[in-house]
Amino acid sequence: MIRYVLVRLGNGLFVLWAALTVSFLVLHLVPGDPVSVMLRGNGGEASSVDPAAADALRAELGLDRPVHEQYLDFVWRAARLDFGTSFTTGDEVRAVLGRSLGPTLELAAAALLLTLVLGVAAAVAGTLLPKAPLRSAVLSATVVGNAVPSFWTGIVLLQVFSFGLGWFPAYGAGDLGQLVLPAFALALPGIGTLAQVLSRSLRTALADPYVRTARAKGASRLRATTAHALRNAAIPAMTLFGLMVGGIVAGAVITETVFSRPGLGTLTANAIGGHDFPVIRALVFLAGALYVLVNLAVDLVYPKVDPRIVLRAA
Amino acid sequence: MNEPTVSPPLLAVRDLRVSYRTRAGTVPAVRGASLTVAAGETVALVGESGSGKSSVGLAVLGLLPDGTEPVSGSVELDGRNLVGLPERALRGVRGREIGFVPQDPKASLNPVQRVGAQVAEVLRIHGLERGRAAAARRARELLGEAGLPEPDRVAERFPHELSGGMCQRVLIAIALAGRPRLLIADEPTSALDVTVQRHLLDHLADVTRRAGTGLLLITHDLAVATERAERVAVMSDGRVVETGPSADVIGAPSHPYTRELVAAAPSLTAPPATPAAPDAEPLLTVENVRRVFRTRLPQGGRQVTTAVDGVSFTLPRGGSLGVVGESGSGKSTLAQLLLRLDRPDAGRIVLDGVDLTSVPAGRLRRLRRHVQPVFQDSYGSLDHTFTVAEAIAEPLRAFGVPGRARRVADLLDLVRLPAAAGARRPTELSGGQRQRVCIARALALTPRLLVLDEPVSALDVSVQARILTLLAELREELGLAYVFISHDLAVVRQVCDRVLVMRRGRAVEQGAVADVFSGPRHPYTQELLAAVPGGPRTVSEGASP
């Protein structure tokens, strides 16, 4: 067990290193010069940049050094979780990230909770409802949820519930009311995917002989499903859920922009627009670390759900 | 002894009709079945697959699958008609008044729940014990009563940590937890070894005798029915065609279908297969083969299992060797070694003077045409996207044999399939027809040896009898040699002239079928023969004319 976790963490470090290296290379290859963006400020002309000032700034940021030197320095500092200072604001990257992390965690937690509760509920309802048309209505609804892009969902939700009915505020972060619409918009595609995968494996599990044994004991259909089939059907859904957690940062970029919420998503959008290399790299690192840790956590939960699964370090 | 017939029946099924809705329309599964079970009585419901016997059991429980037409007829338990009762009322009957022992013990327990909790669930659903702790304690008692050693420890196990026989005991504990008056057992032992089967059926007989529980025993096995049931009801095509005391029905069947069924059942008294010519030269010589599996345990550490442990035998040209043993005895591993799908860790396998364990890969591929397999699962052995003709032609194509269409037609004829079968897909065939296709494919390259691993175990007795006849005829016609692996001693007797008994990887006894079956020397062989349902009695009857 301990050996397994250590091996997996080792693999995770490799994944992080690879992600950082790729992001470093990509940022060096993409067109656009951070120094001219910074000197230009907002809306400035490219020709208005003073070459001397640009060189000075480039030296200050260490961008005049050879690429391999920059890379080694970057990796060495990243290993100590030091990502330097933001090109655009001059603040320490760690502090910038720290400020944005809170609202995004809030949003992500709310969205994942919604995904889990509504996804499982839709799967169970789509399998157990007494009338076939009701079952297919639930499952079709999940397909729609899955197919609609989340920026559109966000806009529709804003139109209906903030501007139309005025139930929830349209933007901002802090209280619970402000969380509802963005969390729902972020969760909707996940709810659909989770419900579809879970309902399919649930239907397979319900055909297994142990479900008949449970019913022969006198268990109701609902009990046979929730107490027996659901746990057996959970593994594919858990794998999917782990992948969703990793993807939540990507989803937050769109959702936070639509709802004008501060957070990692907005930060990502701004950092990319402003060629703010240190912030982008730190975000890549954070997303990678999140991905590695969540998937490790999911793998560690597997044997608790299904005792036949044995963890084995590859 | 006559008491059960005097008192009103515990279970009375009258004119039961069950139909399943399919895409092709409604298909009747049970077309008017009637039977009774008295308290303390065991009634066997016998029939082949598709006869509707399992549907009767499920209809009594009210557990027919979704997509079943409403049941007609009546199912009376102590005079109360269960047909048409609301689901809520039926839930009170299931587990409390009727216990159910299913067919496949390993799959019938929830794999992710400890078995103790699965027994306790019955008590909790029906409110038979107050509180979790009391239910858990009673569950452990029930596991003990079901004959499980160390019930306190077994209760904490998961199903995959138990053997098939132990799982079936857990399921019996579940079925009896609510002290039901009626037990329905659907093929309770068909997935288990004969010795385990005997213990479990003894246990069920004991329970019904002591508690006065009625037992409806659904089985395909006539010998089990005769030995265990007071009365037998024979089902064919959705109808009960004959019913009466077991000895009468099986001993002197009046309905033609029952007669056919009885005739098809392999017996330990039938004359054994004809031996190979005494001067036949050896085709296959197996010397001291050994196969060891090393597996890593979840707790860490390794487990070493010797699946085949120094087995030796010689098979003459045209000879037929039966390999018998219970699950885990190493018979299937031996088959894999003979087919050289697996490599032994030690020993030699010499076919026609060539040692298969040391030939280079290219040469081995060419030698494969001489040794061909037939497996138990004909469904899994055929690619469903191939037509029958394509499946049979595949080995011919692999070896570049010309004139394939002609050869396929000959082979279909050889296994007594109509030429039109060539265009069909495996899913459109019955189990017996599919196994014929597998045999035709195995014969395509005119092999000298067939390795048959439980080739008829998945088939109904009448189909099984026809396949066994075919195998016997093919052996004569083509001069084939067989290594025939089976858990069923009666089947081996019909096809083989020599037998090898395996236990825990070792060959404990081998010799001519007639000698080993009439005078087994090793205690394990004796135990195996004694456990065959109806075995000892039939043998003793044969001994004294």
Side-chain angles (χ1 to χ4, degrees), chain A residues 210 212-213 215-218 220-221 223 228 231-232 305 307-308, chain B residues 87 91 94-95 107-108 110-113 118 121 126 158 160:
Chain A
Y210 59 82
R212 177 174 286 165
T213 307
R215 302 268 285 135
K217 289 175 185 177
S220 65
R221 200 177 277 269
R223 187 190 168 94
H228 293 282
R231 196 163 148 194
N232 280 284
V305 173
R308 289 167 298 179
Chain B
E87 173 63 23
R91 265 190 257 152
R94 291 182 208 125
S108 295
N110 184 349
V112 303
Q113 204 177 42
Q118 301 193 44
E121 190 183 14
H126 296 286
F158 289 101
H160 71 277

PDB file of all heavy atoms in Angstrom, chain A residues 210 212-213 215-218 220-221 223 228 231-232 305 307-308, chain B residues 87 91 94-95 107-108 110-113 118 121 126 158 160:
ATOM      1  N   TYR A 210     -26.780 -11.842  -8.575  1.00  0.00           N
ATOM      2  CA  TYR A 210     -26.906 -11.491  -7.151  1.00  0.00           C
ATOM      3  C   TYR A 210     -28.076 -10.536  -6.912  1.00  0.00           C
ATOM      4  O   TYR A 210     -28.595 -10.462  -5.800  1.00  0.00           O
ATOM      5  CB  TYR A 210     -25.596 -10.915  -6.593  1.00  0.00           C
ATOM      6  CG  TYR A 210     -25.116  -9.677  -7.304  1.00  0.00           C
ATOM      7  CD1 TYR A 210     -25.631  -8.436  -6.992  1.00  0.00           C
ATOM      8  CD2 TYR A 210     -24.149  -9.754  -8.295  1.00  0.00           C
ATOM      9  CE1 TYR A 210     -25.210  -7.301  -7.659  1.00  0.00           C
ATOM     10  CE2 TYR A 210     -23.723  -8.631  -8.970  1.00  0.00           C
ATOM     11  CZ  TYR A 210     -24.259  -7.410  -8.640  1.00  0.00           C
ATOM     12  OH  TYR A 210     -23.842  -6.299  -9.312  1.00  0.00           O
ATOM     13  N   ARG A 212     -30.980 -10.884  -8.365  1.00  0.00           N
ATOM     14  CA  ARG A 212     -32.114 -11.796  -8.196  1.00  0.00           C
ATOM     15  C   ARG A 212     -32.089 -12.397  -6.788  1.00  0.00           C
ATOM     16  O   ARG A 212     -33.134 -12.537  -6.162  1.00  0.00           O
ATOM     17  CB  ARG A 212     -32.056 -12.900  -9.249  1.00  0.00           C
ATOM     18  CG  ARG A 212     -33.165 -13.912  -9.081  1.00  0.00           C
ATOM     19  CD  ARG A 212     -33.185 -14.911 -10.222  1.00  0.00           C
ATOM     20  NE  ARG A 212     -33.711 -14.313 -11.432  1.00  0.00           N
ATOM     21  CZ  ARG A 212     -33.568 -14.857 -12.639  1.00  0.00           C
ATOM     22  NH1 ARG A 212     -32.891 -15.982 -12.772  1.00  0.00           N
ATOM     23  NH2 ARG A 212     -34.088 -14.283 -13.693  1.00  0.00           N
ATOM     24  N   THR A 213     -30.901 -12.744  -6.300  1.00  0.00           N
ATOM     25  CA  THR A 213     -30.805 -13.259  -4.932  1.00  0.00           C
ATOM     26  C   THR A 213     -31.376 -12.249  -3.951  1.00  0.00           C
ATOM     27  O   THR A 213     -32.145 -12.593  -3.056  1.00  0.00           O
ATOM     28  CB  THR A 213     -29.333 -13.548  -4.570  1.00  0.00           C
ATOM     29  OG1 THR A 213     -28.770 -14.388  -5.565  1.00  0.00           O
ATOM     30  CG2 THR A 213     -29.218 -14.229  -3.228  1.00  0.00           C
ATOM     31  N   ARG A 215     -33.548  -9.890  -4.514  1.00  0.00           N
ATOM     32  CA  ARG A 215     -35.003  -9.786  -4.648  1.00  0.00           C
ATOM     33  C   ARG A 215     -35.675 -11.007  -4.033  1.00  0.00           C
ATOM     34  O   ARG A 215     -36.749 -10.885  -3.448  1.00  0.00           O
ATOM     35  CB  ARG A 215     -35.381  -9.671  -6.122  1.00  0.00           C
ATOM     36  CG  ARG A 215     -34.746  -8.490  -6.813  1.00  0.00           C
ATOM     37  CD  ARG A 215     -35.614  -7.250  -6.783  1.00  0.00           C
ATOM     38  NE  ARG A 215     -36.701  -7.359  -7.717  1.00  0.00           N
ATOM     39  CZ  ARG A 215     -37.969  -7.027  -7.448  1.00  0.00           C
ATOM     40  NH1 ARG A 215     -38.283  -6.585  -6.251  1.00  0.00           N
ATOM     41  NH2 ARG A 215     -38.892  -7.136  -8.352  1.00  0.00           N
ATOM     42  N   ALA A 216     -35.025 -12.177  -4.140  1.00  0.00           N
ATOM     43  CA  ALA A 216     -35.605 -13.385  -3.551  1.00  0.00           C
ATOM     44  C   ALA A 216     -35.584 -13.332  -2.029  1.00  0.00           C
ATOM     45  O   ALA A 216     -36.303 -14.057  -1.368  1.00  0.00           O
ATOM     46  CB  ALA A 216     -34.867 -14.631  -4.045  1.00  0.00           C
ATOM     47  N   LYS A 217     -34.715 -12.465  -1.474  1.00  0.00           N
ATOM     48  CA  LYS A 217     -34.713 -12.275  -0.018  1.00  0.00           C
ATOM     49  C   LYS A 217     -35.922 -11.462   0.431  1.00  0.00           C
ATOM     50  O   LYS A 217     -36.193 -11.360   1.613  1.00  0.00           O
ATOM     51  CB  LYS A 217     -33.474 -11.476   0.402  1.00  0.00           C
ATOM     52  CG  LYS A 217     -32.154 -12.182   0.299  1.00  0.00           C
ATOM     53  CD  LYS A 217     -31.061 -11.175   0.642  1.00  0.00           C
ATOM     54  CE  LYS A 217     -29.677 -11.756   0.444  1.00  0.00           C
ATOM     55  NZ  LYS A 217     -28.642 -10.734   0.726  1.00  0.00           N
ATOM     56  N   GLY A 218     -36.580 -10.798  -0.519  1.00  0.00           N
ATOM     57  CA  GLY A 218     -37.682  -9.914  -0.178  1.00  0.00           C
ATOM     58  C   GLY A 218     -37.314  -8.448  -0.316  1.00  0.00           C
ATOM     59  O   GLY A 218     -38.074  -7.578   0.083  1.00  0.00           O
ATOM     60  N   SER A 220     -36.872  -4.825  -1.961  1.00  0.00           N
ATOM     61  CA  SER A 220     -37.605  -4.101  -2.997  1.00  0.00           C
ATOM     62  C   SER A 220     -36.657  -3.813  -4.151  1.00  0.00           C
ATOM     63  O   SER A 220     -35.444  -3.931  -4.024  1.00  0.00           O
ATOM     64  CB  SER A 220     -38.149  -2.801  -2.431  1.00  0.00           C
ATOM     65  OG  SER A 220     -37.077  -1.966  -2.071  1.00  0.00           O
ATOM     66  N   ARG A 221     -37.250  -3.378  -5.266  1.00  0.00           N
ATOM     67  CA  ARG A 221     -36.447  -3.035  -6.431  1.00  0.00           C
ATOM     68  C   ARG A 221     -35.454  -1.926  -6.095  1.00  0.00           C
ATOM     69  O   ARG A 221     -34.287  -1.958  -6.476  1.00  0.00           O
ATOM     70  CB  ARG A 221     -37.396  -2.572  -7.524  1.00  0.00           C
ATOM     71  CG  ARG A 221     -36.866  -2.608  -8.910  1.00  0.00           C
ATOM     72  CD  ARG A 221     -37.968  -2.194  -9.854  1.00  0.00           C
ATOM     73  NE  ARG A 221     -38.856  -3.307 -10.186  1.00  0.00           N
ATOM     74  CZ  ARG A 221     -38.651  -4.095 -11.238  1.00  0.00           C
ATOM     75  NH1 ARG A 221     -37.635  -3.892 -12.035  1.00  0.00           N
ATOM     76  NH2 ARG A 221     -39.466  -5.076 -11.499  1.00  0.00           N
ATOM     77  N   ARG A 223     -34.222  -1.144  -3.137  1.00  0.00           N
ATOM     78  CA  ARG A 223     -33.175  -1.624  -2.253  1.00  0.00           C
ATOM     79  C   ARG A 223     -32.156  -2.477  -3.009  1.00  0.00           C
ATOM     80  O   ARG A 223     -30.947  -2.337  -2.813  1.00  0.00           O
ATOM     81  CB  ARG A 223     -33.786  -2.440  -1.113  1.00  0.00           C
ATOM     82  CG  ARG A 223     -32.757  -2.815  -0.076  1.00  0.00           C
ATOM     83  CD  ARG A 223     -33.252  -3.825   0.942  1.00  0.00           C
ATOM     84  NE  ARG A 223     -32.093  -4.296   1.677  1.00  0.00           N
ATOM     85  CZ  ARG A 223     -31.701  -3.765   2.824  1.00  0.00           C
ATOM     86  NH1 ARG A 223     -32.374  -2.795   3.378  1.00  0.00           N
ATOM     87  NH2 ARG A 223     -30.599  -4.212   3.416  1.00  0.00           N
ATOM     88  N   HIS A 228     -27.227  -3.030  -3.618  1.00  0.00           N
ATOM     89  CA  HIS A 228     -26.430  -4.074  -4.268  1.00  0.00           C
ATOM     90  C   HIS A 228     -25.848  -3.645  -5.611  1.00  0.00           C
ATOM     91  O   HIS A 228     -24.646  -3.668  -5.808  1.00  0.00           O
ATOM     92  CB  HIS A 228     -27.266  -5.346  -4.433  1.00  0.00           C
ATOM     93  CG  HIS A 228     -27.614  -5.994  -3.131  1.00  0.00           C
ATOM     94  ND1 HIS A 228     -26.727  -6.759  -2.433  1.00  0.00           N
ATOM     95  CD2 HIS A 228     -28.739  -5.945  -2.388  1.00  0.00           C
ATOM     96  CE1 HIS A 228     -27.295  -7.183  -1.318  1.00  0.00           C
ATOM     97  NE2 HIS A 228     -28.516  -6.693  -1.262  1.00  0.00           N
ATOM     98  N   ARG A 231     -23.260  -0.155  -6.054  1.00  0.00           N
ATOM     99  CA  ARG A 231     -21.848  -0.216  -5.713  1.00  0.00           C
ATOM    100  C   ARG A 231     -21.065  -1.020  -6.742  1.00  0.00           C
ATOM    101  O   ARG A 231     -19.920  -0.690  -7.065  1.00  0.00           O
ATOM    102  CB  ARG A 231     -21.709  -0.846  -4.327  1.00  0.00           C
ATOM    103  CG  ARG A 231     -20.363  -0.612  -3.752  1.00  0.00           C
ATOM    104  CD  ARG A 231     -20.394  -0.868  -2.270  1.00  0.00           C
ATOM    105  NE  ARG A 231     -19.110  -1.369  -1.838  1.00  0.00           N
ATOM    106  CZ  ARG A 231     -18.910  -1.931  -0.666  1.00  0.00           C
ATOM    107  NH1 ARG A 231     -19.900  -2.085   0.175  1.00  0.00           N
ATOM    108  NH2 ARG A 231     -17.719  -2.358  -0.347  1.00  0.00           N
ATOM    109  N   ASN A 232     -21.706  -2.063  -7.270  1.00  0.00           N
ATOM    110  CA  ASN A 232     -21.036  -2.844  -8.313  1.00  0.00           C
ATOM    111  C   ASN A 232     -20.886  -2.062  -9.607  1.00  0.00           C
ATOM    112  O   ASN A 232     -19.989  -2.317 -10.396  1.00  0.00           O
ATOM    113  CB  ASN A 232     -21.826  -4.126  -8.585  1.00  0.00           C
ATOM    114  CG  ASN A 232     -21.545  -5.198  -7.561  1.00  0.00           C
ATOM    115  OD1 ASN A 232     -20.497  -5.822  -7.598  1.00  0.00           O
ATOM    116  ND2 ASN A 232     -22.442  -5.383  -6.613  1.00  0.00           N
ATOM    117  N   VAL A 305     -14.297   0.124  -2.638  1.00  0.00           N
ATOM    118  CA  VAL A 305     -15.600  -0.090  -3.266  1.00  0.00           C
ATOM    119  C   VAL A 305     -15.728  -1.540  -3.720  1.00  0.00           C
ATOM    120  O   VAL A 305     -16.750  -2.178  -3.524  1.00  0.00           O
ATOM    121  CB  VAL A 305     -15.776   0.863  -4.470  1.00  0.00           C
ATOM    122  CG1 VAL A 305     -17.044   0.530  -5.237  1.00  0.00           C
ATOM    123  CG2 VAL A 305     -15.837   2.294  -3.977  1.00  0.00           C
ATOM    124  N   PRO A 307     -13.752  -5.091  -3.273  1.00  0.00           N
ATOM    125  CA  PRO A 307     -12.637  -5.763  -2.611  1.00  0.00           C
ATOM    126  C   PRO A 307     -11.827  -6.671  -3.527  1.00  0.00           C
ATOM    127  O   PRO A 307     -10.740  -7.101  -3.162  1.00  0.00           O
ATOM    128  CB  PRO A 307     -13.325  -6.582  -1.519  1.00  0.00           C
ATOM    129  CG  PRO A 307     -14.726  -6.755  -1.989  1.00  0.00           C
ATOM    130  CD  PRO A 307     -15.054  -5.507  -2.761  1.00  0.00           C
ATOM    131  N   ARG A 308     -12.362  -6.965  -4.718  1.00  0.00           N
ATOM    132  CA  ARG A 308     -11.608  -7.843  -5.618  1.00  0.00           C
ATOM    133  C   ARG A 308     -10.458  -7.104  -6.290  1.00  0.00           C
ATOM    134  O   ARG A 308      -9.583  -7.714  -6.874  1.00  0.00           O
ATOM    135  CB  ARG A 308     -12.539  -8.406  -6.701  1.00  0.00           C
ATOM    136  CG  ARG A 308     -13.516  -9.427  -6.168  1.00  0.00           C
ATOM    137  CD  ARG A 308     -14.586  -9.715  -7.184  1.00  0.00           C
ATOM    138  NE  ARG A 308     -15.358  -8.514  -7.483  1.00  0.00           N
ATOM    139  CZ  ARG A 308     -16.340  -8.472  -8.357  1.00  0.00           C
ATOM    140  NH1 ARG A 308     -16.667  -9.524  -9.029  1.00  0.00           N
ATOM    141  NH2 ARG A 308     -17.001  -7.338  -8.572  1.00  0.00           N
TER     142      ARG A 308
ATOM    143  N   GLU B  87     -46.926  -6.165  -5.427  1.00  0.00           N
ATOM    144  CA  GLU B  87     -45.495  -6.324  -5.181  1.00  0.00           C
ATOM    145  C   GLU B  87     -45.166  -6.281  -3.683  1.00  0.00           C
ATOM    146  O   GLU B  87     -44.376  -7.065  -3.181  1.00  0.00           O
ATOM    147  CB  GLU B  87     -44.748  -5.223  -5.953  1.00  0.00           C
ATOM    148  CG  GLU B  87     -43.264  -5.110  -5.696  1.00  0.00           C
ATOM    149  CD  GLU B  87     -42.468  -6.339  -6.095  1.00  0.00           C
ATOM    150  OE1 GLU B  87     -42.935  -7.116  -6.939  1.00  0.00           O
ATOM    151  OE2 GLU B  87     -41.371  -6.511  -5.527  1.00  0.00           O
ATOM    152  N   ARG B  91     -43.235  -9.189  -1.544  1.00  0.00           N
ATOM    153  CA  ARG B  91     -41.970  -8.992  -0.838  1.00  0.00           C
ATOM    154  C   ARG B  91     -41.990  -9.668   0.525  1.00  0.00           C
ATOM    155  O   ARG B  91     -40.977 -10.146   1.003  1.00  0.00           O
ATOM    156  CB  ARG B  91     -41.709  -7.499  -0.662  1.00  0.00           C
ATOM    157  CG  ARG B  91     -40.834  -6.929  -1.744  1.00  0.00           C
ATOM    158  CD  ARG B  91     -40.439  -5.533  -1.359  1.00  0.00           C
ATOM    159  NE  ARG B  91     -41.201  -4.553  -2.097  1.00  0.00           N
ATOM    160  CZ  ARG B  91     -41.484  -3.324  -1.652  1.00  0.00           C
ATOM    161  NH1 ARG B  91     -41.101  -2.949  -0.444  1.00  0.00           N
ATOM    162  NH2 ARG B  91     -42.159  -2.496  -2.393  1.00  0.00           N
ATOM    163  N   ARG B  94     -41.428 -13.529  -0.314  1.00  0.00           N
ATOM    164  CA  ARG B  94     -40.072 -13.900  -0.712  1.00  0.00           C
ATOM    165  C   ARG B  94     -39.111 -13.807   0.471  1.00  0.00           C
ATOM    166  O   ARG B  94     -39.108 -12.809   1.179  1.00  0.00           O
ATOM    167  CB  ARG B  94     -39.555 -12.941  -1.786  1.00  0.00           C
ATOM    168  CG  ARG B  94     -40.223 -13.061  -3.093  1.00  0.00           C
ATOM    169  CD  ARG B  94     -39.566 -12.096  -4.067  1.00  0.00           C
ATOM    170  NE  ARG B  94     -40.520 -11.689  -5.069  1.00  0.00           N
ATOM    171  CZ  ARG B  94     -40.835 -10.432  -5.367  1.00  0.00           C
ATOM    172  NH1 ARG B  94     -40.215  -9.439  -4.741  1.00  0.00           N
ATOM    173  NH2 ARG B  94     -41.732 -10.166  -6.262  1.00  0.00           N
ATOM    174  N   GLY B  95     -38.339 -14.832   0.665  1.00  0.00           N
ATOM    175  CA  GLY B  95     -37.360 -14.820   1.742  1.00  0.00           C
ATOM    176  C   GLY B  95     -37.960 -15.208   3.075  1.00  0.00           C
ATOM    177  O   GLY B  95     -37.273 -15.699   3.951  1.00  0.00           O
ATOM    178  N   ALA B 107     -21.731 -16.217  -8.728  1.00  0.00           N
ATOM    179  CA  ALA B 107     -22.312 -14.997  -9.296  1.00  0.00           C
ATOM    180  C   ALA B 107     -23.550 -14.544  -8.540  1.00  0.00           C
ATOM    181  O   ALA B 107     -23.996 -13.429  -8.708  1.00  0.00           O
ATOM    182  CB  ALA B 107     -22.657 -15.231 -10.764  1.00  0.00           C
ATOM    183  N   SER B 108     -24.099 -15.433  -7.708  1.00  0.00           N
ATOM    184  CA  SER B 108     -25.360 -15.098  -7.058  1.00  0.00           C
ATOM    185  C   SER B 108     -25.180 -14.396  -5.723  1.00  0.00           C
ATOM    186  O   SER B 108     -26.151 -14.073  -5.058  1.00  0.00           O
ATOM    187  CB  SER B 108     -26.203 -16.357  -6.865  1.00  0.00           C
ATOM    188  OG  SER B 108     -26.572 -16.865  -8.125  1.00  0.00           O
ATOM    189  N   ASN B 110     -23.464 -11.006  -3.863  1.00  0.00           N
ATOM    190  CA  ASN B 110     -22.948  -9.681  -4.205  1.00  0.00           C
ATOM    191  C   ASN B 110     -21.434  -9.649  -3.963  1.00  0.00           C
ATOM    192  O   ASN B 110     -20.983  -9.827  -2.835  1.00  0.00           O
ATOM    193  CB  ASN B 110     -23.655  -8.639  -3.335  1.00  0.00           C
ATOM    194  CG  ASN B 110     -23.258  -7.230  -3.696  1.00  0.00           C
ATOM    195  OD1 ASN B 110     -22.305  -7.009  -4.452  1.00  0.00           O
ATOM    196  ND2 ASN B 110     -23.979  -6.270  -3.170  1.00  0.00           N
ATOM    197  N   PRO B 111     -20.641  -9.431  -5.017  1.00  0.00           N
ATOM    198  CA  PRO B 111     -19.185  -9.541  -4.872  1.00  0.00           C
ATOM    199  C   PRO B 111     -18.554  -8.481  -3.966  1.00  0.00           C
ATOM    200  O   PRO B 111     -17.426  -8.661  -3.525  1.00  0.00           O
ATOM    201  CB  PRO B 111     -18.663  -9.393  -6.312  1.00  0.00           C
ATOM    202  CG  PRO B 111     -19.772  -8.763  -7.066  1.00  0.00           C
ATOM    203  CD  PRO B 111     -21.038  -9.172  -6.405  1.00  0.00           C
ATOM    204  N   VAL B 112     -19.269  -7.392  -3.702  1.00  0.00           N
ATOM    205  CA  VAL B 112     -18.634  -6.313  -2.936  1.00  0.00           C
ATOM    206  C   VAL B 112     -19.156  -6.237  -1.505  1.00  0.00           C
ATOM    207  O   VAL B 112     -18.928  -5.262  -0.807  1.00  0.00           O
ATOM    208  CB  VAL B 112     -18.813  -4.945  -3.640  1.00  0.00           C
ATOM    209  CG1 VAL B 112     -18.239  -5.001  -5.046  1.00  0.00           C
ATOM    210  CG2 VAL B 112     -20.262  -4.515  -3.678  1.00  0.00           C
ATOM    211  N   GLN B 113     -19.855  -7.268  -1.055  1.00  0.00           N
ATOM    212  CA  GLN B 113     -20.389  -7.242   0.306  1.00  0.00           C
ATOM    213  C   GLN B 113     -19.953  -8.502   1.054  1.00  0.00           C
ATOM    214  O   GLN B 113     -19.915  -9.584   0.465  1.00  0.00           O
ATOM    215  CB  GLN B 113     -21.917  -7.193   0.213  1.00  0.00           C
ATOM    216  CG  GLN B 113     -22.582  -6.616   1.422  1.00  0.00           C
ATOM    217  CD  GLN B 113     -24.094  -6.526   1.225  1.00  0.00           C
ATOM    218  OE1 GLN B 113     -24.719  -7.433   0.699  1.00  0.00           O
ATOM    219  NE2 GLN B 113     -24.669  -5.424   1.644  1.00  0.00           N
ATOM    220  N   GLN B 118     -24.745 -10.313   3.933  1.00  0.00           N
ATOM    221  CA  GLN B 118     -25.738 -10.739   2.943  1.00  0.00           C
ATOM    222  C   GLN B 118     -26.757 -11.684   3.555  1.00  0.00           C
ATOM    223  O   GLN B 118     -27.912 -11.709   3.142  1.00  0.00           O
ATOM    224  CB  GLN B 118     -25.042 -11.386   1.737  1.00  0.00           C
ATOM    225  CG  GLN B 118     -24.074 -10.420   1.077  1.00  0.00           C
ATOM    226  CD  GLN B 118     -23.606 -10.899  -0.287  1.00  0.00           C
ATOM    227  OE1 GLN B 118     -24.384 -11.368  -1.097  1.00  0.00           O
ATOM    228  NE2 GLN B 118     -22.319 -10.742  -0.560  1.00  0.00           N
ATOM    229  N   GLU B 121     -29.048  -9.545   5.866  1.00  0.00           N
ATOM    230  CA  GLU B 121     -30.005  -8.688   5.165  1.00  0.00           C
ATOM    231  C   GLU B 121     -31.425  -9.270   5.183  1.00  0.00           C
ATOM    232  O   GLU B 121     -32.405  -8.533   5.333  1.00  0.00           O
ATOM    233  CB  GLU B 121     -29.545  -8.477   3.719  1.00  0.00           C
ATOM    234  CG  GLU B 121     -30.346  -7.414   2.998  1.00  0.00           C
ATOM    235  CD  GLU B 121     -29.973  -7.230   1.538  1.00  0.00           C
ATOM    236  OE1 GLU B 121     -29.278  -8.100   0.979  1.00  0.00           O
ATOM    237  OE2 GLU B 121     -30.381  -6.214   0.970  1.00  0.00           O
ATOM    238  N   HIS B 126     -37.035  -8.535   6.847  1.00  0.00           N
ATOM    239  CA  HIS B 126     -38.286  -9.053   7.386  1.00  0.00           C
ATOM    240  C   HIS B 126     -38.440  -8.778   8.876  1.00  0.00           C
ATOM    241  O   HIS B 126     -39.353  -9.312   9.509  1.00  0.00           O
ATOM    242  CB  HIS B 126     -38.384 -10.562   7.103  1.00  0.00           C
ATOM    243  CG  HIS B 126     -38.444 -10.872   5.636  1.00  0.00           C
ATOM    244  ND1 HIS B 126     -39.565 -10.652   4.882  1.00  0.00           N
ATOM    245  CD2 HIS B 126     -37.505 -11.331   4.773  1.00  0.00           C
ATOM    246  CE1 HIS B 126     -39.326 -10.980   3.619  1.00  0.00           C
ATOM    247  NE2 HIS B 126     -38.083 -11.393   3.532  1.00  0.00           N
ATOM    248  N   PHE B 158     -15.386 -12.051   1.708  1.00  0.00           N
ATOM    249  CA  PHE B 158     -16.113 -11.671   0.492  1.00  0.00           C
ATOM    250  C   PHE B 158     -16.283 -12.929  -0.361  1.00  0.00           C
ATOM    251  O   PHE B 158     -15.469 -13.859  -0.264  1.00  0.00           O
ATOM    252  CB  PHE B 158     -15.319 -10.621  -0.286  1.00  0.00           C
ATOM    253  CG  PHE B 158     -15.311  -9.274   0.393  1.00  0.00           C
ATOM    254  CD1 PHE B 158     -14.218  -8.853   1.117  1.00  0.00           C
ATOM    255  CD2 PHE B 158     -16.419  -8.444   0.302  1.00  0.00           C
ATOM    256  CE1 PHE B 158     -14.215  -7.618   1.752  1.00  0.00           C
ATOM    257  CE2 PHE B 158     -16.426  -7.210   0.927  1.00  0.00           C
ATOM    258  CZ  PHE B 158     -15.324  -6.790   1.653  1.00  0.00           C
ATOM    259  N   HIS B 160     -15.547 -13.790  -3.312  1.00  0.00           N
ATOM    260  CA  HIS B 160     -14.440 -14.278  -4.142  1.00  0.00           C
ATOM    261  C   HIS B 160     -13.371 -14.975  -3.312  1.00  0.00           C
ATOM    262  O   HIS B 160     -12.482 -15.613  -3.867  1.00  0.00           O
ATOM    263  CB  HIS B 160     -13.826 -13.144  -4.959  1.00  0.00           C
ATOM    264  CG  HIS B 160     -13.041 -12.158  -4.158  1.00  0.00           C
ATOM    265  ND1 HIS B 160     -13.621 -11.111  -3.481  1.00  0.00           N
ATOM    266  CD2 HIS B 160     -11.720 -12.061  -3.911  1.00  0.00           C
ATOM    267  CE1 HIS B 160     -12.679 -10.414  -2.863  1.00  0.00           C
ATOM    268  NE2 HIS B 160     -11.530 -10.956  -3.097  1.00  0.00           N
TER     269      HIS B 160
END
